[in-house]
Amino acid sequence: MVVLKGDFAVILAILLLPLFIRDSFVVSTATLAVIYSILSLSWFFMEKEAGWNSLAHSIPFGIAAYAIAINPALIIPAFSLSILLFTAISFFGRDKFVFTSFIIAIVLWYLSHYITLSLNGKVTGGEEGFSFQSIGLWESYLLSSSVLLIFFTSFLLLRRTGLGLKIEAVRDDEIAARSIGIHAFKVRIVSFTISVFAATVAGICYLLYFGHVSPEIFSIEVALLPFVASLIAGNRWISPIIGCYIIVIVSRAFSGILPETHLLIYAAVLILSPKLRRWWNASTH
Amino acid sequence: MISVLLTAIFFSFFASAVLLNYKIGRLLNLSFASIFTLGAYLYFFNPTAAALLALISGCAVGAVVSTATRKLSIAEASIVSLGFAIAIEEFLRILYRTSYFLVMESSYVEIIGEAVSVHEITNGAVLALLFLIFTAIHLSRRELKFVEDDWELAEMYGVDTSRIRLLTISISSGFICLSGAILAPTQSVFPSMGWSSTVTAVIIASIAASAGNAGVKKYLLTLPVAIAYTAILRWLF
Amino acid sequence: MLQLIDVSKVYSGNVVLRGINFRLESGFAGIYGPNGSGKSTMLKIIAGIEKPDCGRIFFEGEDITGKSPEKVARMGISIVHQIPRPFRNMSVIENVATSFLMRKSYREAMELALEICEFIGLRNKMNLKAGLLSQGELRLLEIGRALATQPKLMLLDEPFSGLDVENAKRVIRILKKIKREGVNAIVTAHRMKLLRDVADVSYQMRGGRIAEG
């Protein structure tokens, strides 16, 4: 409980800091970090709580942004499609889920280059993507920060509910869970729905901040971000948030000297991932 | 049709390499995406010595990946290979920052009214020959079948599974890199060019794997699957 | 209460159960037999984890053949697996509370789980992660978790296997307590001697067939 209060205090401090510094560069960096943190939290919930390791959270993230940019009425079908996709992939089993999802994320990345819209004889989309009205820097930051706090709190509270226990039970042993009356498939759908919802909201925040979405939202970089961010900073609920901040800050800091430096962090973290995982697991226990 | 067949031979070979790495190497070798790209960049760097350079570089990278993933589970090893893929991609991106898309010239010949790149023909011929050699080796060496069927049991019976794994990953990586070098003039070369081929190969390998666990059948099945896949894509786009 | 009519099961050409006819009205029934006789398979079929290839199963007059494990559990049949299947990353009390969630809220479930932990003798370890328990303690946890579903019928698949004498005695004490509470059960074991202290009637299982012992 003390640890959780400490984590909450750290997040509040991180989120409040830009409000005192009031520098546009700092706020824009923080906004991006917060949006990616929401995405990473959604992934962390699915991996840690529900036990499904995906490398495809770029899918609900990107589909949501595209849906709003094309036509806001498409958000519900987009949300449903993401849940359906994850459910379909889950039939391959937990072991194959991670790489099947990754392959589908890459396929979607390629296919997104062909998403075009013809309006009044003018073709939009394709590689250039779609534009949308941005809500502005400070508004984006305040919105994203509020959303992050809400999701962080909600995920932690969920663990102390009946639904949270069921999700963890199905994660640990599906057969044992079914033997005590838990509808494992229903719980799986609910887990996916919660995770996809958070990723969808992150996608919407992304679009409202940038005012533009392109196929790069489905890139390998975005697909791997939550996994890498969590591995950098540990096994706790605050870890994906800290990890995202590290990645975004390093990327922005070195963008003048070496663009996309953060991808070198990705490579290093992925290569060291087995050791990092064991180290974080050992330090937790 | 010739072009479809040549492309299918390439995808069949790539898918077989993916399958081989999965069954014997015990990993989904995602580093192939960047190893293929590395071969293409080596051709841009030195067209004359590209083939030899690609073979050596590919084997070296494969050996490093094999060593780094030696005692890991399939999932962990695959993620590590993904890390290598990104590392190589970034290395190339940093090295060739001056221009993102590189285009090199190729020469074409006309076969039955169809213009086919000389490099595609070379690649097809080389890979077809390699495939035949591999099939012959697989049929004659029972250890490969044994290891594919049951890795742990093969180890217990004294098969040097580590050596077989190292050779499998290194040699397949070498030939993927060689393929990238030969095909470089037929496509625009950029750091993430290898992903589309890798994803296609994984999909073809998944379908072909339904032919069974051990034996050469699944590798042979990659060719008809690749032909069907390529033909459908050509028709659609 | 429970009736099996001509239940058979075949695994890859190997007949594991041959036309099993079995009836349990009330009390504790013991089934003993060597490895591979079909004891575990029979329990798994009743619990819905496996589906029979032919035959029917009736529980309290209702046909439960082929029903899913969660439906069977909700009808009042719970199973204690031969190899314990705890929720390793959850604490002991959370493991037990999960079973109560079928009918109770989270708070009520946690309160009732405390009572079960007391009943099975794991109160002092209730906040420990299940993955850190010993073999005997895991077996007790399995029993507690099955009890928490408030079953009408418990299926205990070799509850004494892998236990030393002390832990086996602990399990027998718990089973006797459960029996006094009026819970019905089917208990399987390798040898009849192990069932003597708990079973009202024993059956011998051999080569997929069952006969009164």
Side-chain angles (χ1 to χ4, degrees):
Chain A
M1 204 59 197
V2 174
V3 171
L4 287 175
K5 281 182 182 167
D7 287 353
F8 206 75
V10 167
I11 292 175
L12 267 177
I14 292 172
L15 292 175
L16 287 172
L17 195 61
L19 300 177
F20 293 102
I21 297 176
R22 294 207 152 248
D23 176 78
S24 297
F25 178 75
V26 168
V27 176
S28 80
T29 305
T31 308
L32 188 60
V34 168
I35 291 169
Y36 282 148
S37 297
I38 302 168
L39 174 64
S40 299
L41 267 186
S42 73
W43 175 89
F44 196 73
F45 169 81
M46 200 152 116
E47 202 258 351
K48 192 172 166 68
E49 284 302 292
W52 293 90
N53 191 354
S54 109
L55 291 179
H57 263 59
S58 55
I59 294 177
F61 183 66
I63 286 178
Y66 260 83
I68 298 280
I70 293 170
N71 185 341
L74 288 173
I75 191 63
I76 303 288
F79 175 64
S80 310
L81 177 65
S82 299
I83 298 169
L84 261 164
L85 208 54
F86 277 125
T87 309
I89 301 169
S90 74
F91 285 111
F92 286 96
R94 277 179 209 267
D95 294 337
K96 294 197 171 112
F97 185 80
V98 54
F99 295 109
T100 314
S101 63
F102 182 65
I103 296 295
I104 289 174
I106 299 182
V107 168
L108 202 59
W109 178 33
Y110 279 105
L111 289 177
S112 61
H113 289 81
Y114 297 97
I115 301 174
T116 55
L117 211 62
S118 186
L119 266 171
N120 303 321
K122 193 179 166 199
V123 177
T124 51
E127 278 186 27
E128 285 184 12
F130 297 91
S131 297
F132 194 77
Q133 181 69 41
S134 169
I135 59 172
L137 177 62
W138 280 100
E139 289 81 356
S140 295
Y141 183 70
L142 290 169
L143 172 68
S144 311
S145 305
S146 311
V147 166
L148 177 65
L149 268 176
I150 291 169
F151 276 123
F152 183 77
T153 315
S154 303
F155 283 140
L156 286 178
L157 287 174
L158 183 66
R159 297 186 68 226
R160 299 204 174 276
T161 63
L163 176 62
L165 276 185
K166 284 181 187 175
I167 291 172
E168 290 185 15
V170 171
R171 173 200 65 197
D172 281 352
D173 194 324
E174 202 166 298
I175 291 177
R178 294 179 77 190
S179 302
I180 57 170
I182 296 174
H183 281 282
F185 186 69
K186 274 190 198 167
V187 169
R188 193 194 301 180
I189 302 290
V190 169
S191 311
F192 289 163
T193 304
I194 294 169
S195 180
V196 164
F197 177 68
T200 298
V201 172
I204 295 171
C205 290
Y206 178 95
L207 180 69
L208 292 175
Y209 170 50
F210 283 106
H212 182 260
V213 64
S214 72
E216 287 316 300
I217 203 170
F218 293 109
S219 66
I220 293 171
E221 190 184 323
V222 178
L224 293 175
L225 170 79
F227 180 77
V228 172
S230 302
L231 270 179
I232 287 173
N235 237 357
R236 305 217 311 259
W237 279 93
I238 198 176
S239 304
I241 299 170
I242 306 270
C244 284
Y245 267 81
I246 292 172
I247 290 170
V248 171
I249 290 169
V250 166
S251 172
R252 287 274 171 114
F254 287 93
S255 62
I257 314 159
L258 205 64
E260 298 182 324
T261 321
H262 60 284
L263 290 173
L264 292 171
I265 300 176
Y266 277 44
V269 169
L270 287 171
I271 291 169
L272 294 171
S273 61
K275 287 205 170 6
L276 281 170
R277 277 217 138 142
R278 292 195 225 299
W279 194 67
W280 287 124
N281 281 336
S283 58
T284 308
H285 293 119
Chain B
M1 258 329 278
I2 310 277
S3 185
V4 166
L5 183 63
L6 292 171
T7 308
I9 290 172
F10 164 66
F11 281 133
S12 169
F13 182 85
F14 207 135
S16 299
V18 167
L19 263 176
L20 199 61
N21 274 243
Y22 188 77
K23 294 287 182 193
I24 293 178
R26 293 175 13 133
L27 80 159
L28 179 61
N29 199 343
L30 296 168
S31 65
F32 279 162
S34 296
I35 289 171
F36 178 79
T37 310
L38 176 65
Y41 272 91
L42 283 170
Y43 183 90
F44 174 75
F45 173 66
N46 187 339
T48 323
L52 186 62
L53 279 173
L55 211 47
I56 295 169
S57 310
C59 284
V61 172
V64 171
V65 171
S66 173
T67 311
T69 58
R70 212 172 33 198
K71 292 188 196 301
L72 302 177
S73 67
I74 294 178
E76 287 175 338
S78 306
I79 289 174
V80 171
S81 75
L82 179 58
F84 278 102
I86 294 175
I88 296 169
E89 192 179 315
E90 277 322 289
F91 171 72
L92 294 170
R93 187 173 277 129
I94 292 165
L95 214 58
Y96 289 93
R97 258 189 299 172
T98 47
S99 57
Y100 194 78
F101 287 93
L102 305 172
V103 180
M104 287 153 277
E105 277 187 34
S106 177
S107 39
Y108 291 79
V109 292
E110 197 168 308
I111 302 174
I112 321 171
E114 196 180 330
V116 186
S117 160
V118 167
H119 287 89
E120 269 193 324
I121 297 170
T122 313
N123 188 56
V126 167
L127 295 183
L129 180 65
L130 286 171
F131 199 85
L132 285 168
I133 294 170
F134 163 71
T135 310
I137 292 172
H138 200 285
L139 286 170
S140 62
R141 300 293 296 253
R142 265 182 265 167
E143 300 106 304
L144 285 177
K145 214 170 160 177
F146 197 2
V147 172
E148 274 184 353
D149 204 17
D150 196 322
W151 171 279
E152 279 89 7
L153 197 62
E155 257 189 344
M156 281 194 270
Y157 275 88
V159 177
D160 193 350
T161 49
S162 306
R163 188 181 65 95
I164 291 175
R165 186 176 184 269
L166 176 66
L167 285 172
T168 302
I169 297 175
S170 313
I171 293 173
S172 56
S173 300
F175 288 132
I176 294 291
C177 201
L178 172 67
S179 189
I182 298 173
L183 285 176
T186 65
Q187 36 196 316
S188 55
V189 174
F190 56 101
S192 48
M193 66 181 274
W195 285 107
S196 58
S197 306
T198 307
V199 167
T200 305
V202 168
I203 293 169
I204 292 170
S206 308
I207 298 169
S210 57
N213 201 30
V216 102
K217 258 191 288 186
K218 56 187 177 297
Y219 302 108
L220 294 173
L221 191 60
T222 56
L223 184 59
V225 174
I227 291 172
Y229 184 92
T230 316
I232 291 168
L233 271 183
R234 286 281 164 107
W235 174 70
L236 278 172
F237 294 104
Chain C
M1 158 171 269
L2 177 78
Q3 191 178 12
L4 275 71
I5 301 172
D6 277 332
V7 169
S8 296
K9 180 73 182 174
V10 180
Y11 284 125
S12 309
N14 188 30
V15 181
V16 178
L17 294 179
R18 295 171 194 270
I20 299 285
N21 287 289
F22 176 82
R23 197 187 182 91
L24 174 71
E25 292 297 344
S26 64
F28 267 48
I31 301 176
Y32 64 94
N35 285 337
S37 55
K39 308 186 294 296
S40 295
T41 307
M42 181 175 143
L43 293 193
K44 283 180 184 170
I45 284 173
I46 297 169
I49 296 168
E50 304 268 0
K51 308 279 177 264
D53 290 313
C54 62
R56 304 230 74 80
I57 304 153
F58 292 90
F59 179 66
E60 294 196 324
E62 199 175 325
D63 189 347
I64 63 167
T65 318
K67 278 197 155 61
S68 63
E70 53 266 28
K71 280 202 179 117
V72 172
R74 283 166 190 266
M75 290 179 73
I77 297 177
S78 69
I79 184 165
V80 174
H81 302 276
Q82 182 178 359
I83 298 168
R85 305 186 76 125
F87 302 130
R88 291 192 171 275
N89 294 303
M90 290 161 67
S91 66
V92 168
I93 191 168
E94 284 173 341
N95 262 264
V96 177
T98 312
S99 296
F100 280 111
L101 291 174
M102 262 199 283
R103 296 179 186 89
K104 307 284 178 195
S105 68
Y106 176 83
R107 189 163 285 209
E108 286 169 343
M110 290 300 275
E111 283 166 10
L112 290 166
L114 187 60
E115 290 174 24
I116 296 284
C117 288
E118 188 93 53
F119 184 80
I120 58 176
L122 288 179
R123 200 200 194 287
N124 58 339
K125 296 200 176 182
M126 67 179 189
N127 291 316
L128 199 63
K129 277 216 163 51
L132 299 172
L133 295 179
S134 69
Q135 192 66 15
E137 287 165 342
L138 280 175
R139 192 57 55 77
L140 291 172
L141 174 60
E142 275 275 306
I143 293 171
R145 201 172 63 188
L147 256 183
T149 61
Q150 296 168 313
K152 294 170 190 164
L153 173 68
M154 272 179 80
L155 307 170
L156 295 116
D157 194 355
E158 300 200 27
F160 312 109
S161 79
L163 298 183
D164 57 28
V165 172
E166 195 50 52
N167 280 315
K169 283 182 180 169
R170 265 174 103 182
V171 171
I172 291 172
R173 275 199 298 272
I174 301 286
L175 290 181
K176 283 181 176 173
K177 268 205 253 180
I178 292 169
K179 198 173 169 185
R180 280 198 292 274
E181 296 287 319
V183 179
N184 303 301
I186 300 175
V187 188
T188 68
H190 284 307
R191 294 172 294 147
M192 191 169 72
K193 205 167 102 172
L194 290 165
L195 299 171
R196 222 183 281 157
D197 288 326
V198 287
D200 299 316
V201 61
S202 291
Y203 297 84
Q204 189 184 27
M205 199 143 184
R206 193 175 278 274
R209 292 195 168 92
I210 195 167
E212 197 156 336

